[in-house]
Amino acid sequence: MSKSIFYHAGCPVCISAEHDIVSLAGKENVEIVHLGSDNSRIAEAENAGVKSVPALVTKNGNVLHINYGASIEEVKG
Amino acid sequence: MSKSIFYHAGCPVCISAEHDIVSLAGKENVEIVHLGSDNSRIAEAENAGVKSVPALVTKNGNVLHINYGASIEEVKG
């Protein structure tokens, strides 16, 4: 994986964390995935270990769950 | 505030997140504070809005609580 991936679901907590992470890591180093509008990637996020959003999966595969916004189950709706 | 500040308390979850954050943001951009060994800074962390560790306070003052390790109350002991 060449970039970190930031998974979110459009909630206010998510958007705020997205800005912080992008500002921290640099826009070119983070792929942003909106699971609400691209739910084909929910399985990918789950396989990576994402339990709630917002979450950042780092290049080496670690999952950082940030300020709790919503569980993956809630995102599935 | 010229740097982000990463507060932790030495727990395994903290150390792992520390490595991830430093690798993401660059060592020169993050100050690492170990509240277990430097408890004079607990009040500063609380004032910044830190409720649990590990947490990152960004340059603009936002608090990102990452993978829950321990509450501030637990750090106070």
Side-chain angles (χ1 to χ4, degrees):
Chain A
M1 181 151 47
S2 61
K3 282 186 175 194
S4 301
I5 305 179
F6 181 84
Y7 293 100
H8 74 109
C11 56
V13 168
C14 294
I15 303 297
S16 168
E18 175 186 334
H19 292 163
D20 292 330
I21 291 293
V22 165
S23 126
L24 204 65
K27 198 170 183 172
E28 68 284 6
N29 296 316
V30 188
E31 179 185 0
I32 309 289
V33 176
H34 187 318
L35 293 177
S37 48
D38 189 0
N39 58 23
S40 67
R41 296 189 67 175
I42 291 179
E44 165 198 309
E46 283 188 308
N47 286 338
V50 172
K51 307 282 188 214
S52 63
V53 285
L56 184 76
V57 178
T58 65
K59 287 180 202 178
N60 54 15
N62 287 343
V63 183
L64 299 179
H65 293 100
I66 304 164
N67 297 348
Y68 185 82
S71 72
I72 284 288
E73 293 307 314
E74 288 169 308
V75 174
K76 286 179 183 173
Chain B
M1 182 152 44
S2 61
K3 282 185 174 193
S4 301
I5 306 179
F6 181 84
Y7 294 100
H8 74 107
C11 55
V13 168
C14 294
I15 302 296
S16 169
E18 176 186 332
H19 291 161
D20 292 329
I21 291 292
V22 165
S23 129
L24 205 65
K27 199 171 182 170
E28 68 283 8
N29 296 315
V30 187
E31 179 185 1
I32 309 289
V33 176
H34 188 319
L35 293 177
S37 48
D38 189 1
N39 58 22
S40 66
R41 296 189 66 175
I42 290 179
E44 165 199 309
E46 282 188 310
N47 287 338
V50 173
K51 307 281 186 214
S52 64
V53 286
L56 183 76
V57 179
T58 65
K59 287 180 201 176
N60 55 15
N62 287 345
V63 184
L64 299 179
H65 294 99
I66 303 164
N67 297 348
Y68 185 83
S71 72
I72 284 289
E73 294 308 313
E74 288 170 306
V75 174
K76 286 179 182 172

